[in-house]
Amino acid sequence: MNKINNVRALREAPAQAEPLIDLRGVQKAYKTPAGDFLALKGIDLNIDRGEFVAVQGKSGAGKSTLINMVTGIDQPTAGEICVGNRAVHEMNEVQIAKWRGSNVGVIFQFFQLLPMLTCAQNVMLPMDFANLYNSPRERRERALHLLDQVGIGEQADKLPSAVSGGQRQRVAIARALANDPSFLAADEPTGSLDSKTAEEVFQVFEKLVEGGTTILMTTHDRELASRVSRTVRISDGRIIN
C-alpha cells in the first residue's frame, strides 16, 4: 500500500519549473600571443524566474565574460546556454541580435546612453530597433511610464549630460526594460556611483524583483550582494560555491 501511495504522490506532484537561464559546461577561450586564454572553464549555472542573482569575484575572474555569454554579446567556445526555450549557443549573429533585442535588458557600468538624445529618446531606442509598439507616440508614452517607474519621469526631456550619474543609470535601467525582457543583466551597475547613489539604484532593482523581474548582476559590493536572492562566486573562470 505504501508503494502505491508513493507512486501516486509522485504522479500528482507538480512538475518542477524549468530554470529561465541554464548554462551547462560553458567555456570561453580568447586567443592571445601566448596562446589560448580560458576566461570561463566549464560553468554550470541555473537561474530561476524571479531570482536576483549576484556574481562576485576579483577583476579578471570571468564575471563580465559570464554576462556576455548569457546575453549573447559573445559566444561560448564550448557548452550550452539556454534562456527560456531558446538555445542561445546555436543561434547565428543575426538571430542573436533579434533575440536579444526582444528578450534581454542589458545595463552597463558606464550607462552607454547616446548623448545627443534626451533621456526619453534613449529609452525609446530599443523599441525603435525592435519595431515594437505601433507609433512614436506609444513608444514615448511607454518611455515616460518606465522613467516614472524608476523615479525620474521629470527628467524625460533632458539630455544625459544634464542629469546626475545616478539618474543616468536609472535611464539605463528604464531603457533595459523598454521591450519587456525576460531578464535584466547588469554588469557592475553601481560601480561608478557613490555609495548613496548606488543604494538608490539598488533599491530600484529590489522593486523590480518584487514585481517579478529576473536580474543577474555582477558586483564588487559585498553589502549589496548580501541582499540578493543568491550569490555566486567566480574565481579564475570557475564557480567556486
Side-chain angles (χ1 to χ4, degrees):
M1 182 64 71
N2 286 338
K3 275 188 179 179
I4 294 173
N5 288 337
N6 289 338
V7 169
R8 184 178 298 153
L10 287 171
R11 288 174 177 170
E12 293 175 354
Q16 187 173 357
E18 291 291 325
L20 174 62
I21 300 170
D22 185 8
L23 280 67
R24 300 180 184 181
V26 172
Q27 297 183 16
K28 181 61 183 179
Y30 294 103
K31 293 188 180 299
T32 73
D36 285 352
F37 168 70
L38 269 178
L40 297 179
K41 303 172 183 176
I43 297 292
D44 295 319
L45 178 65
N46 289 340
I47 298 174
D48 292 329
R49 296 180 188 276
E51 271 200 290
F52 189 177
V53 177
V55 180
Q56 285 201 290
K58 296 179 180 179
S59 295
K63 301 187 305 297
S64 293
T65 304
L66 178 61
I67 288 284
N68 290 344
M69 295 296 104
V70 174
T71 58
I73 291 174
D74 204 351
Q75 285 283 72
T77 306
E80 299 178 356
I81 301 170
C82 295
V83 179
N85 60 353
R86 298 298 302 273
V88 180
H89 60 285
E90 294 180 351
M91 290 190 275
N92 60 38
E93 289 186 8
V94 173
Q95 291 170 327
I96 286 177
K98 185 176 180 180
W99 167 80
R100 185 170 55 241
S102 301
N103 294 277
V104 185
V106 185
I107 303 162
F108 302 97
Q109 179 176 350
F110 296 107
F111 323 130
Q112 307 288 5
L113 302 177
L114 293 182
M116 73 290 296
L117 299 182
T118 66
C119 295
Q121 288 169 337
N122 268 282
V123 177
M124 292 167 64
L125 208 55
M127 307 180 218
D128 295 335
F129 284 147
N131 197 28
L132 293 178
Y133 304 96
N134 294 328
S135 66
R137 179 178 178 180
E138 287 188 25
R139 292 169 188 169
R140 177 172 169 82
E141 287 176 353
R142 176 158 176 78
L144 296 178
H145 167 72
L146 291 170
L147 289 170
D148 277 333
Q149 187 177 346
V150 298
I152 54 165
E154 72 283 358
Q155 310 294 342
D157 294 316
K158 293 183 180 180
L159 293 174
S161 59
V163 301
S164 69
Q167 289 171 328
R168 287 196 290 273
Q169 192 59 294
R170 289 176 186 236
V171 175
I173 294 170
R175 180 185 59 188
L177 292 167
N179 292 342
D180 193 21
S182 301
F183 72 98
L184 296 183
D187 194 6
E188 295 287 352
T190 62
S192 62
L193 306 175
D194 62 78
S195 58
K196 179 177 181 294
T197 306
E199 171 62 24
E200 292 171 353
V201 169
F202 190 79
Q203 287 178 4
V204 173
F205 285 137
E206 289 179 320
K207 288 180 181 178
L208 291 172
V209 172
E210 287 175 5
T213 302
T214 306
I215 300 178
L216 174 63
M217 174 185 75
T218 69
T219 182
H220 281 97
D221 192 319
R222 292 185 178 181
E223 194 278 326
L224 294 182
S226 70
R227 293 160 53 186
V228 303
S229 309
R230 178 160 53 107
T231 301
V232 174
R233 292 197 62 83
I234 189 169
S235 177
D236 295 326
R238 291 188 174 92
I239 290 177
I240 58 174
N241 73 314

